[in-house]
Amino acid sequence: MPTFPISWPRLLLLGLLAAWHAPLPAAPAPVTEIRIAVPDLGAGSRPSGGGLVDVLREQQLFEQAFAGDGIHIAWTFFKGAGPAVNEALASGQVDFAFLGDLAAIIGKAGGLDTRLLCATARGIKSYLGVVPGSGIKTLLDLKGRRVALFRGTANQLSFDAALASQGLSERDIKVINLDFNASTAALAARQVDAVWGLSNLIALRERGLAQIPLSSRDIQGAGSTQAVLVGAGAFVDQHPELVVRLLRAHQQAVRWLADEANREAYLDLVSATAGYPRVILETDLEGERLGEMFAPQLDPPFLDHLQAGVEFALAQRLIRKGFQVREWAAPRFLEAALDASLPGARPITDGAKAPPAQAAH
């Protein structure tokens, strides 16, 4: 059979005809539900994420933001904390997640397709709780002791950083992996010598069941933690306008917390929701400015702290592969949310065409 050369004009025509008859890509299905995952920090029967999460839920800010479109907000609280939340992200069960720094870092380093959307807390104190009379007064005194620690969470990154500041590592102690509530119970029952944890340890001290010889503030901030909001990559890319609207509602909670007139109401809210005695929160937040603690911006200091966390987690073999936090961060969504009320503000309509995250820095 003879063959005939095909000219470029003919190739172009054939390509256009093929494109004309090719099926159009399916539009994203309408969103009827936004699924949000939160580590459960509550000590009682009610779930609690503390901080911004409790304010958002109490004031129904997300629910109000999407009610007009009939979009339901589904909150899921995980007692398994960060590791369980990452599993939910990996299986496509949630669209957004509030996470501590290490869990978010582990997820990203492990291949989870997430976008870093905003900060949700910064400079969170950690505490060393010890059995009364144990003689433990410094981190150096932990050598050879049994220490309860919730592995895979920001708590572990915090503890490892605190140990490193004193020339120690987990190899110098006997780590027992327990969640927050189990750690507290084990310390009260003297089944462990110490716990590295959060402000819930203050309740044990008030009852005479523990001593707190130091916090991360006593070692120049080594061991302080951060928290973030991440979004599943597929959801963020397909529905950028919903991400901006969610962050706009999130900012309402930030503004409420930044108003010192609401401080007492906040303490009452978290105490009632989390099931912690109010004295815990009063002690933990003494001298803290809530507006600074919950500032959402992905500013250079915050990103630098997260990057240091990535490098430290890699050095400690908590992750196998490092990454650049500024490439993970997507500040354009928060910037659009904060600027949405300004004249001439340009909403994000196409995540794929948005400027790269690095451009903001």
Side-chain angles (χ1 to χ4, degrees), residues 86 89 99 104 107-108 111-116 230-233 236 328:
N86 277 337
L89 281 167
L99 283 169
K108 177 63 178 175
L112 283 184
D113 181 22
T114 59
R115 308 286 186 272
L116 176 60
V230 299
V236 172
W328 179 33

Side-chain angles (χ1 to χ4, degrees), residues 55-124:
V55 175
L56 287 164
R57 294 188 71 224
E58 174 69 16
Q59 299 183 12
Q60 297 284 290
L61 295 177
F62 286 167
E63 287 78 2
Q64 293 173 27
F66 294 98
D69 296 313
I71 298 176
H72 174 252
I73 303 298
W75 294 90
T76 303
F77 288 79
F78 291 83
K79 284 293 186 185
V85 172
N86 277 337
E87 288 180 10
L89 281 167
S91 60
Q93 297 176 18
V94 296
D95 306 306
F96 297 93
F98 288 86
L99 283 169
D101 46 17
L102 180 60
I105 287 169
I106 287 176
K108 177 63 178 175
L112 283 184
D113 181 22
T114 59
R115 308 286 186 272
L116 176 60
L117 299 175
C118 72
T120 58
R122 59 186 77 206
I124 303 170

Side-chain angles (χ1 to χ4, degrees), residues 4-285:
F4 302 93
I6 299 179
S7 65
W8 281 110
R10 184 174 177 82
L11 278 174
L12 178 61
L13 177 61
L14 290 173
L16 290 173
L17 288 172
W20 178 266
H21 291 289
L24 294 173
V31 175
T32 59
E33 183 176 68
I34 293 176
R35 305 163 299 171
I36 304 172
V38 186
D40 189 357
L41 304 178
S45 58
R46 298 173 61 185
S48 170
L52 283 160
V53 168
D54 288 351
V55 175
L56 287 164
R57 294 188 71 224
E58 174 69 16
Q59 299 183 12
Q60 297 284 290
L61 295 177
F62 286 167
E63 287 78 2
Q64 293 173 27
F66 294 98
D69 296 313
I71 298 176
H72 174 252
I73 303 298
W75 294 90
T76 303
F77 288 79
F78 291 83
K79 284 293 186 185
V85 172
N86 277 337
E87 288 180 10
L89 281 167
S91 60
Q93 297 176 18
V94 296
D95 306 306
F96 297 93
F98 288 86
L99 283 169
D101 46 17
L102 180 60
I105 287 169
I106 287 176
K108 177 63 178 175
L112 283 184
D113 181 22
T114 59
R115 308 286 186 272
L116 176 60
L117 299 175
C118 72
T120 58
R122 59 186 77 206
I124 303 170
K125 290 196 295 289
S126 295
Y127 297 87
L128 178 65
V130 304
V131 170
S134 64
I136 300 173
K137 301 189 180 300
T138 70
L139 292 174
L140 292 171
D141 295 328
L142 294 177
K143 286 186 176 182
R145 302 292 190 107
R146 300 164 300 167
V147 181
L149 179 68
F150 198 170
R151 289 189 181 277
T153 69
N155 192 229
Q156 183 179 9
L157 184 63
S158 165
F159 187 51
D160 287 353
L163 288 176
S165 73
Q166 307 300 305
L168 301 173
S169 72
E170 288 188 29
R171 292 188 295 273
D172 296 307
I173 60 178
K174 299 176 181 177
V175 173
I176 298 176
N177 185 24
L178 296 173
D179 66 30
F180 297 117
N181 290 335
S183 295
T184 303
L187 185 62
R190 297 175 176 256
Q191 295 174 344
V192 294
D193 300 305
V195 170
W196 183 260
L198 300 174
S199 57
N200 59 309
L201 292 171
I202 298 172
L204 288 187
R205 185 184 67 182
E206 295 299 309
R207 295 162 54 194
L209 297 174
Q211 294 175 330
I212 300 179
L214 61 88
S215 76
S216 54
R217 290 293 171 85
D218 299 313
I219 47 176
Q220 291 73 52
S224 65
T225 60
Q226 325 300 311
V228 299
L229 174 65
V230 299
F235 187 98
V236 172
D237 292 346
Q238 292 177 15
H239 308 287
E241 72 288 349
L242 297 184
V243 178
V244 172
R245 199 191 310 178
L246 184 110
L247 290 175
R248 197 178 305 155
H250 180 273
Q251 183 61 16
Q252 290 180 253
V254 174
R255 286 197 297 268
W256 186 85
L257 280 164
D259 185 347
E260 284 297 312
N262 296 322
R263 188 181 186 91
E264 295 301 314
Y266 171 70
L267 293 174
D268 289 338
L269 168 63
V270 177
S271 176
T273 305
Y276 292 154
R278 197 175 190 275
V279 65
I280 292 178
L281 300 171
E282 291 175 340
T283 303
D284 185 50
L285 296 176

